[in-house]
Amino acid sequence: MEGLLLPLLLMLVLAVPLIMGTRKQKKAAAQQQELQNSLAPGDRVMTTSGLYATVADTADESTIDLEIADGVVTTWLRQAIRERIDPMAADEDEDSDEETADESAESVEEPVTATAESASESDSASTPQVAEPLEHKK
């Protein structure tokens, strides 16, 4: 009995991570399948290649039509859809980016003008130097 205990424990230690890994993969695949089946026209999505688009048509089971710009509709495999983008979160991110950009533009305005003046003074004082052409000996 003692001779079987060690191999049995070794197999158990190796089997548990394998089983847990396959459960995680099955769960992720089921979530992805649920996402692809729940897409409707008007949903904002991101593809696996990072392209943001709006779902235009979901009539086919294997493909989906995405509008990437006004009037530009392309056909993609459903498996290429990586995630649905929440339009409310995207609007909040854009608003916070605009506020940050406005604040940084106000604080940077003075140094930029001073730098531009000093750059124009240094350009007039120095002349560009050009290297002489290399002569090849044959």
Side-chain angles (χ1 to χ4, degrees):
M1 184 69 175
E2 288 182 23
L4 294 175
L5 185 61
L6 185 61
L8 186 62
L9 285 175
L10 184 61
M11 287 182 4
L12 184 65
V13 168
L14 293 175
V16 169
L18 290 174
I19 292 170
M20 297 301 285
T22 57
R23 288 184 64 216
K24 186 184 276 188
Q25 285 179 343
K26 284 181 182 179
K27 186 176 179 181
Q31 286 178 342
Q32 189 68 17
Q33 186 67 34
E34 180 183 335
L35 167 72
Q36 291 170 1
N37 291 335
S38 68
L39 291 173
D43 286 345
R44 190 87 173 128
V45 296
M46 183 174 72
T47 65
T48 54
S49 60
L51 178 76
Y52 289 92
T54 305
V55 176
D57 184 27
T58 59
D60 192 15
E61 290 182 16
S62 62
T63 61
I64 190 167
D65 290 339
L66 299 178
E67 184 176 12
I68 56 176
D70 290 336
V72 180
V73 178
T74 57
T75 302
W76 293 69
L77 287 174
R78 281 188 182 259
Q79 289 80 11
I81 304 301
R82 179 172 152 188
E83 63 184 88
R84 180 181 292 135
I85 305 299
D86 183 19
M88 296 303 289
D91 290 342
E92 290 173 5
D93 291 343
E94 289 175 6
D95 291 342
S96 66
D97 290 343
E98 289 173 4
E99 290 173 5
T100 306
D102 291 342
E103 291 172 2
S104 63
E106 290 174 1
S107 64
V108 176
E109 214 168 287
E110 288 182 27
V112 169
T113 57
T115 306
E117 291 172 2
S118 64
S120 63
E121 291 173 6
S122 65
D123 287 344
S124 62
S126 65
T127 58
Q129 296 180 355
V130 179
E132 294 181 22
L134 295 174
E135 294 182 18
H136 296 288
K137 296 182 181 178
K138 292 184 180 179

